[in-house]
Amino acid sequence: TLSGIKSMGLTKLSFIAKQKSLVNIWGEPELSDDMNDHWTSSVHMEERKVFILRLQEFARTRNVRVTFVAGDVHCCGAGRFASANPALPPERDYRFMPQIISSAIMNIPPPNMVIRAVHAGAKTYELDRFTDEKMYRLFELDVNGRSPPNNNTKMLARRNFSSYVEDLENHSMIVNIHVQNENNQGTKAYPVTISALAPGNNVV
């Protein structure tokens, strides 16, 4: 998410407006639209809570795994909601809701200083006392085999796209975030496995 940038405020980041990848055709910061739209924006927090709680009830009563697929933040990553009980495995947890963050392959990623600001200023929002949320440390290594910029293992500022394939044996979803290599030739895949929701999962 871009909650870190939101907490810093646009005025404090006005110096990045001169960056080509952050300015639209009217010369306005391209990220301003993203910051207003992302679901941890202050204007959307109550709406976000109601929406997720409704989805939790939908998952519980219909026995359906809910997964969020998001993008337009010009970087990639993955996270999840889950029950606050760490002993509850995902396949028994209707509150387990992964989020895949993947922008269109042609979206120009923001400069690393922007990702660094997001990472440094990010915070965890408590939905309620039953729900935990976190970002995965998906990028232990960059596409070049080295540590990611600023040692940020949660978000990677590179062109990317994602693919989704069902495992027919256990009905889990195999997600791969395909990140473009430095030489623009091919991609490196970062996998995320989303387990199916087992029957009789209505555990509080």
Side-chain angles (χ1 to χ4, degrees):
T1 66
L2 294 177
S3 54
I5 292 182
K6 176 66 178 179
S7 66
M8 295 174 68
L10 259 181
T11 56
K12 293 183 180 179
L13 289 178
S14 60
F15 66 95
I16 66 176
K18 296 180 181 179
Q19 297 289 333
K20 183 178 180 181
S21 62
L22 302 180
V23 178
N24 61 24
I25 60 174
W26 297 284
E28 299 171 337
E30 187 71 30
L31 284 176
S32 62
D33 181 62
D34 291 332
M35 288 190 292
N36 289 329
D37 285 345
H38 74 82
W39 71 342
T40 52
S41 173
S42 58
V43 298
H44 295 306
M45 288 300 290
E46 184 59 29
E47 176 186 10
R48 168 186 185 262
K49 180 177 181 178
V50 171
F51 178 59
I52 295 170
L53 291 177
R54 287 182 178 178
L55 287 176
Q56 287 181 353
E57 183 63 11
F58 175 80
R60 186 185 70 83
T61 58
R62 303 293 183 89
N63 210 77
V64 173
R65 172 69 71 217
V66 174
T67 300
F68 301 100
V69 180
D72 201 32
V73 291
H74 307 262
C75 61
C76 53
R80 61 100 179 110
F81 292 101
S83 289
N85 178 8
L88 191 62
E91 58 269 19
R92 303 286 298 175
D93 184 5
Y94 66 86
R95 291 189 179 93
F96 181 78
M97 298 180 184
Q99 178 176 356
I100 306 299
I101 304 166
S102 177
S103 292
I105 188 65
M106 289 307 295
N107 281 359
I108 299 174
N112 283 323
M113 65 177 177
V114 175
I115 298 299
R116 183 169 66 246
V118 174
H119 185 62
K123 59 179 291 187
T124 299
Y125 296 88
E126 183 176 294
L127 183 76
D128 60 22
R129 64 190 182 94
F130 303 107
T131 308
D132 177 63
E133 58 183 276
K134 75 172 186 177
M135 291 287 291
Y136 292 133
R137 295 188 177 276
L138 191 60
F139 308 107
E140 297 291 345
L141 293 177
D142 201 348
V143 294
N144 53 24
R146 298 192 292 267
S147 296
N150 310 309
N151 291 316
N152 181 358
T153 58
K154 297 179 180 179
M155 293 178 292
L156 197 57
R158 292 190 183 278
R159 285 189 170 102
N160 67 90
F161 67 94
S162 55
S163 62
Y164 304 78
V165 178
E166 182 185 6
D167 186 325
L168 297 179
E169 291 188 3
N170 57 24
H171 302 292
S172 63
M173 185 70 70
I174 309 301
V175 181
N176 278 290
I177 298 178
H178 304 269
V179 183
Q180 188 177 52
N181 289 323
E182 284 188 324
N183 59 6
N184 299 330
Q185 300 294 318
T187 61
K188 174 179 172 59
Y190 293 86
V192 177
T193 300
I194 302 173
S195 60
L197 193 56
N201 64 82
N202 52 347
V203 179
V204 177

